[in-house]
Amino acid sequence: MQKGKSLATFLQETTSPDLSRMLLSIAESTKALSHAVRNIGMLNLSGSTGETNVQGETVQKLDDFSNNIIMDLCKASGVCAGYLSEENEDMVTLSPEGRFIVSVDPLDGSANIDIAAPVGTIFSIIPRVTAPGPVTHADFLQQGDKVIAAGYAIYGSSTILVFSTGEGLHMFSLNSDDNHYYKTHTHVSIPSNGKIYSLNQGNLSKFETVSQQFIEWCIAHDKPTSRPYSLRYIGAMVADMHRTFIKGGVFLYPAAIGEKKGKLRLLYECIPMAYLTEQAGGRAINGSQRILEIMPTELHERCAIIIGCRDMVGKYMEFAGAEVNA
Ligand code: AHG
Ligand code: MN
Ligand code: MN
């Protein structure tokens, strides 16, 4: 088999030693999670822990396991000052002298575990802004345009690590023979001719009017623009976004009528995916604002999201009448 460059070599050539160390630690944790996902039946990791997380959602055993692995490896890196996870109510100080703040969705799409459908891990890395010592809210509550690296791993029919350090979007595949990541695609751009829209359409009547109008446009017949578009929805943001990066189109989790915020979490779902999307030439908005310009006010804040190729998000903006700087 013809292998691309290894992740370690690529990072050594393209990033600082500290950031490379941070990313390699996260990558290492995704290898352990990939193994756990693929061997869930043998490891007694299916089902729930019987607890609910800070969001009031049922914690799967694999959610908990994933969080512990990632947090341990972030700590072992020695460069991660603070850690925030969907599964922890509060932020955690890991290395008081570290330079980086990491926010993580350890296992995205956990409802897919029981049906052997794709799941993943999403992360973003921002610089610490306070002096060494315990981390504070100010370290985590930074606008998305402060992100210095972000990415996700998808545990699908293969395991792929996708990330950016601000110079394009790169994809590395996990080789099951030697358990190393190797480069498969660099400088990925979202195709502009995608014909797919992706949302939980069962909720359409609950979503605000602009989203309903946009979906009506997606399914209207129009030969020149190849409409109606196809609907695809996996129910794991990681998997729906991975398809969007490869095949184009748009993914939405809009706000419900009368609400401003959607379901997905700003710090460890929307911001990292928005950063990656912009790196791949696409756009990400909450309906009226570029996601990367939102100033977070809470660790587990939720956010509406419309994300994908420039033209489709642009079309949504036309319906919204929004002058968004995106
Ligand atoms: P998580 O498993 O980390 O809680 O995330 C689930 C999220 C996201 O991955 C997906 O896009 C969305 O929930 C699906 O929500 P619906 O079931 O409401 O469609
Ligand atoms: Mn998630
Ligand atoms: Mn999750």
Side-chain angles (χ1 to χ4, degrees), residues 243-273:
R243 181 198 54 249
T244 305
F245 287 122
I246 306 274
K247 298 199 171 217
V250 64
F251 169 82
L252 309 90
Y253 212 114
I257 296 169
E259 307 272 332
K260 276 218 149 98
K261 306 198 166 173
K263 171 186 178 184
L264 300 179
R265 276 59 56 106
L266 180 58
L267 291 186
Y268 40 81
E269 291 177 321
C270 298
I271 285 179
M273 286 301 183

Short mmCIF file of all heavy atoms in Angstrom, two decimals, residues 243-273:
data_model
loop_
_atom_site.label_atom_id
_atom_site.label_comp_id
_atom_site.label_asym_id
_atom_site.label_seq_id
_atom_site.Cartn_x
_atom_site.Cartn_y
_atom_site.Cartn_z
N ARG A 243 -19.30 14.23 5.61
CA ARG A 243 -19.87 14.13 4.26
C ARG A 243 -19.88 15.51 3.60
O ARG A 243 -19.57 15.64 2.41
CB ARG A 243 -21.31 13.58 4.34
CG ARG A 243 -21.96 13.42 2.96
CD ARG A 243 -23.46 13.30 3.02
NE ARG A 243 -24.02 14.41 3.75
CZ ARG A 243 -24.60 14.33 4.95
NH1 ARG A 243 -24.76 13.16 5.53
NH2 ARG A 243 -25.03 15.41 5.57
N THR A 244 -20.20 16.55 4.36
CA THR A 244 -20.25 17.89 3.77
C THR A 244 -18.87 18.31 3.25
O THR A 244 -18.76 18.89 2.17
CB THR A 244 -20.79 18.90 4.81
OG1 THR A 244 -22.06 18.42 5.28
CG2 THR A 244 -20.98 20.28 4.22
N PHE A 245 -17.80 18.00 4.00
CA PHE A 245 -16.46 18.36 3.53
C PHE A 245 -16.10 17.61 2.23
O PHE A 245 -15.42 18.15 1.37
CB PHE A 245 -15.40 18.05 4.59
CG PHE A 245 -15.45 19.02 5.74
CD1 PHE A 245 -15.64 18.58 7.05
CD2 PHE A 245 -15.30 20.38 5.53
CE1 PHE A 245 -15.71 19.46 8.10
CE2 PHE A 245 -15.36 21.29 6.59
CZ PHE A 245 -15.57 20.82 7.88
N ILE A 246 -16.56 16.37 2.12
CA ILE A 246 -16.18 15.56 0.96
C ILE A 246 -17.12 15.80 -0.23
O ILE A 246 -16.67 15.91 -1.38
CB ILE A 246 -16.24 14.05 1.32
CG1 ILE A 246 -15.38 13.75 2.56
CG2 ILE A 246 -15.89 13.17 0.14
CD1 ILE A 246 -13.95 13.49 2.31
N LYS A 247 -18.42 15.89 0.06
CA LYS A 247 -19.39 15.93 -1.05
C LYS A 247 -20.07 17.27 -1.22
O LYS A 247 -20.85 17.45 -2.16
CB LYS A 247 -20.48 14.88 -0.82
CG LYS A 247 -19.91 13.47 -0.80
CD LYS A 247 -20.98 12.44 -1.04
CE LYS A 247 -20.35 11.08 -1.23
NZ LYS A 247 -20.95 10.25 -2.19
N GLY A 248 -19.85 18.19 -0.29
CA GLY A 248 -20.50 19.50 -0.39
C GLY A 248 -21.88 19.48 0.24
O GLY A 248 -22.29 18.51 0.87
N GLY A 249 -22.60 20.59 0.07
CA GLY A 249 -23.95 20.70 0.63
C GLY A 249 -23.96 21.54 1.89
O GLY A 249 -23.02 22.30 2.17
N VAL A 250 -25.04 21.40 2.65
CA VAL A 250 -25.24 22.24 3.83
C VAL A 250 -25.81 21.40 4.96
O VAL A 250 -26.59 20.48 4.73
CB VAL A 250 -26.16 23.44 3.49
CG1 VAL A 250 -27.57 22.99 3.10
CG2 VAL A 250 -26.24 24.46 4.63
N PHE A 251 -25.37 21.71 6.19
CA PHE A 251 -25.89 21.05 7.40
C PHE A 251 -26.51 22.14 8.27
O PHE A 251 -25.92 23.22 8.43
CB PHE A 251 -24.75 20.35 8.13
CG PHE A 251 -25.13 19.86 9.51
CD1 PHE A 251 -25.80 18.65 9.68
CD2 PHE A 251 -24.83 20.60 10.64
CE1 PHE A 251 -26.17 18.20 10.95
CE2 PHE A 251 -25.19 20.16 11.92
CZ PHE A 251 -25.86 18.96 12.06
N LEU A 252 -27.69 21.85 8.82
CA LEU A 252 -28.35 22.84 9.67
C LEU A 252 -28.83 22.22 10.97
O LEU A 252 -29.36 21.10 10.96
CB LEU A 252 -29.62 23.39 9.01
CG LEU A 252 -29.59 23.94 7.59
CD1 LEU A 252 -29.88 22.85 6.56
CD2 LEU A 252 -30.64 25.03 7.43
N TYR A 253 -28.62 22.92 12.07
CA TYR A 253 -29.40 22.65 13.29
C TYR A 253 -29.88 24.02 13.77
O TYR A 253 -29.24 24.69 14.56
CB TYR A 253 -28.60 21.90 14.36
CG TYR A 253 -29.57 21.01 15.14
CD1 TYR A 253 -29.48 19.63 15.08
CD2 TYR A 253 -30.61 21.58 15.86
CE1 TYR A 253 -30.42 18.84 15.73
CE2 TYR A 253 -31.54 20.79 16.51
CZ TYR A 253 -31.45 19.43 16.45
OH TYR A 253 -32.38 18.65 17.08
N PRO A 254 -31.05 24.45 13.21
CA PRO A 254 -31.50 25.83 13.47
C PRO A 254 -32.10 25.98 14.86
O PRO A 254 -32.32 25.00 15.57
CB PRO A 254 -32.59 26.04 12.41
CG PRO A 254 -32.64 24.81 11.57
CD PRO A 254 -31.96 23.72 12.34
N ALA A 255 -32.41 27.22 15.20
CA ALA A 255 -33.12 27.51 16.45
C ALA A 255 -34.60 27.18 16.26
O ALA A 255 -35.12 27.25 15.14
CB ALA A 255 -32.96 28.99 16.79
N ALA A 256 -35.25 26.82 17.35
CA ALA A 256 -36.70 26.61 17.30
C ALA A 256 -37.39 27.98 17.24
O ALA A 256 -36.78 29.01 17.59
CB ALA A 256 -37.15 25.84 18.52
N ILE A 257 -38.66 27.99 16.82
CA ILE A 257 -39.43 29.25 16.74
C ILE A 257 -39.38 29.97 18.09
O ILE A 257 -39.58 29.34 19.13
CB ILE A 257 -40.90 28.95 16.38
CG1 ILE A 257 -40.98 28.34 14.97
CG2 ILE A 257 -41.77 30.21 16.47
CD1 ILE A 257 -42.33 27.76 14.61
N GLY A 258 -39.08 31.25 18.05
CA GLY A 258 -39.07 32.06 19.27
C GLY A 258 -37.78 31.91 20.08
O GLY A 258 -37.64 32.54 21.12
N GLU A 259 -36.86 31.07 19.63
CA GLU A 259 -35.59 30.88 20.36
C GLU A 259 -34.46 31.48 19.54
O GLU A 259 -34.58 31.64 18.33
CB GLU A 259 -35.27 29.39 20.54
CG GLU A 259 -36.37 28.56 21.15
CD GLU A 259 -36.30 28.55 22.65
OE1 GLU A 259 -35.18 28.71 23.16
OE2 GLU A 259 -37.35 28.41 23.29
N LYS A 260 -33.34 31.75 20.19
CA LYS A 260 -32.18 32.24 19.44
C LYS A 260 -31.16 31.12 19.26
O LYS A 260 -30.42 31.07 18.29
CB LYS A 260 -31.51 33.39 20.21
CG LYS A 260 -32.17 34.73 19.96
CD LYS A 260 -31.09 35.81 19.89
CE LYS A 260 -31.47 36.94 18.97
NZ LYS A 260 -32.03 38.07 19.63
N LYS A 261 -31.12 30.19 20.23
CA LYS A 261 -30.08 29.16 20.23
C LYS A 261 -30.63 27.83 19.75
O LYS A 261 -31.81 27.54 19.94
CB LYS A 261 -29.49 29.04 21.63
CG LYS A 261 -29.01 30.41 22.09
CD LYS A 261 -28.07 30.43 23.22
CE LYS A 261 -27.46 31.83 23.27
NZ LYS A 261 -26.64 32.08 24.41
N GLY A 262 -29.77 27.02 19.18
CA GLY A 262 -30.19 25.70 18.71
C GLY A 262 -29.89 24.64 19.75
O GLY A 262 -29.90 24.90 20.95
N LYS A 263 -29.58 23.43 19.27
CA LYS A 263 -29.30 22.32 20.19
C LYS A 263 -27.79 22.13 20.41
O LYS A 263 -27.34 21.75 21.48
CB LYS A 263 -29.87 21.03 19.60
CG LYS A 263 -29.44 19.80 20.37
CD LYS A 263 -29.89 18.51 19.72
CE LYS A 263 -29.37 17.34 20.55
NZ LYS A 263 -29.66 16.03 19.98
N LEU A 264 -27.02 22.41 19.37
CA LEU A 264 -25.60 22.04 19.42
C LEU A 264 -24.81 23.04 20.27
O LEU A 264 -25.22 24.18 20.44
CB LEU A 264 -25.04 21.92 18.01
CG LEU A 264 -25.77 20.84 17.18
CD1 LEU A 264 -25.20 20.76 15.77
CD2 LEU A 264 -25.67 19.48 17.85
N ARG A 265 -23.70 22.57 20.80
CA ARG A 265 -22.93 23.36 21.75
C ARG A 265 -21.88 24.21 21.04
O ARG A 265 -21.18 23.75 20.15
CB ARG A 265 -22.26 22.45 22.79
CG ARG A 265 -23.14 22.07 23.97
CD ARG A 265 -24.42 21.35 23.61
NE ARG A 265 -24.23 20.15 22.82
CZ ARG A 265 -24.37 18.92 23.28
NH1 ARG A 265 -24.71 18.71 24.52
NH2 ARG A 265 -24.21 17.88 22.48
N LEU A 266 -21.80 25.49 21.48
CA LEU A 266 -20.93 26.45 20.79
C LEU A 266 -19.45 26.08 20.89
O LEU A 266 -18.75 26.04 19.88
CB LEU A 266 -21.18 27.85 21.39
CG LEU A 266 -20.37 29.00 20.81
CD1 LEU A 266 -20.60 29.15 19.31
CD2 LEU A 266 -20.71 30.33 21.51
N LEU A 267 -18.97 25.79 22.12
CA LEU A 267 -17.52 25.69 22.30
C LEU A 267 -16.91 24.41 21.72
O LEU A 267 -15.78 24.42 21.27
CB LEU A 267 -17.15 25.80 23.78
CG LEU A 267 -17.35 27.17 24.42
CD1 LEU A 267 -16.81 27.20 25.83
CD2 LEU A 267 -16.69 28.27 23.61
N TYR A 268 -17.64 23.30 21.79
CA TYR A 268 -17.00 22.04 21.35
C TYR A 268 -17.72 21.33 20.21
O TYR A 268 -17.39 20.21 19.88
CB TYR A 268 -16.75 21.10 22.54
CG TYR A 268 -17.87 21.05 23.56
CD1 TYR A 268 -18.99 20.28 23.33
CD2 TYR A 268 -17.80 21.80 24.72
CE1 TYR A 268 -20.02 20.24 24.25
CE2 TYR A 268 -18.84 21.78 25.66
CZ TYR A 268 -19.95 20.99 25.41
OH TYR A 268 -20.97 20.96 26.32
N GLU A 269 -18.72 21.99 19.61
CA GLU A 269 -19.31 21.45 18.37
C GLU A 269 -19.29 22.53 17.29
O GLU A 269 -18.69 22.34 16.22
CB GLU A 269 -20.74 20.94 18.62
CG GLU A 269 -20.77 19.69 19.49
CD GLU A 269 -22.16 19.17 19.84
OE1 GLU A 269 -23.07 19.98 20.10
OE2 GLU A 269 -22.35 17.95 19.91
N CYS A 270 -19.95 23.67 17.57
CA CYS A 270 -20.11 24.67 16.50
C CYS A 270 -18.82 25.41 16.15
O CYS A 270 -18.48 25.55 14.97
CB CYS A 270 -21.21 25.66 16.89
SG CYS A 270 -22.81 24.87 17.09
N ILE A 271 -18.08 25.88 17.15
CA ILE A 271 -16.85 26.64 16.83
C ILE A 271 -15.83 25.76 16.09
O ILE A 271 -15.32 26.17 15.04
CB ILE A 271 -16.26 27.33 18.09
CG1 ILE A 271 -17.11 28.55 18.45
CG2 ILE A 271 -14.79 27.72 17.87
CD1 ILE A 271 -16.67 29.31 19.69
N PRO A 272 -15.51 24.55 16.59
CA PRO A 272 -14.51 23.77 15.83
C PRO A 272 -14.96 23.47 14.40
O PRO A 272 -14.17 23.60 13.46
CB PRO A 272 -14.35 22.47 16.63
CG PRO A 272 -15.22 22.56 17.83
CD PRO A 272 -15.84 23.92 17.88
N MET A 273 -16.25 23.13 14.21
CA MET A 273 -16.70 22.82 12.85
C MET A 273 -16.73 24.08 11.98
O MET A 273 -16.45 24.02 10.78
CB MET A 273 -18.08 22.16 12.88
CG MET A 273 -18.05 20.73 13.36
SD MET A 273 -17.01 19.67 12.31
CE MET A 273 -17.28 18.08 13.11
#
